Amino acid sequence: MKTTIDPDRCVGHGICAMICPDVFAVGDDGFGTVLDAGNDDSFRPLVNEAAENCPEGAISVTAE
């Protein structure tokens, strides 16, 4: 699994980090970032939930 956040779409709501703090964080710039665990399939259910709840649709999850 590969998890990415589109920096042009993210506005920093932080919902992703609240849903799955092992994969997402809010950076010093106030925008979402994907941590190293973003490629760990064991987090897929929470990553998918974060993607579905992102108001801006900025999170992408693809098979790798």
Side-chain angles (χ1 to χ4, degrees), residues 1-4 20 22-24 34-48 61-62 64:
M1 159 178 94
K2 180 172 177 155
T3 306
T4 58
C20 190
D22 291 316
V23 173
F24 301 102
V34 178
L35 304 174
D36 290 339
N39 297 323
D40 186 337
D41 274 336
S42 67
F43 293 111
R44 184 179 289 274
L46 287 174
V47 169
N48 286 339
V61 184
T62 58
E64 197 167 82

Side-chain angles (χ1 to χ4, degrees), residues 8-62:
D8 294 328
R9 296 183 82 169
C10 178
V11 297
H13 292 287
I15 294 170
C16 55
M18 287 186 276
I19 292 173
C20 190
D22 291 316
V23 173
F24 301 102
V26 176
D28 292 337
D29 59 0
F31 297 102
T33 185
V34 178
L35 304 174
D36 290 339
N39 297 323
D40 186 337
D41 274 336
S42 67
F43 293 111
R44 184 179 289 274
L46 287 174
V47 169
N48 286 339
E49 181 180 343
E52 291 168 7
N53 285 283
C54 177
E56 308 307 324
I59 301 171
S60 296
V61 184
T62 58

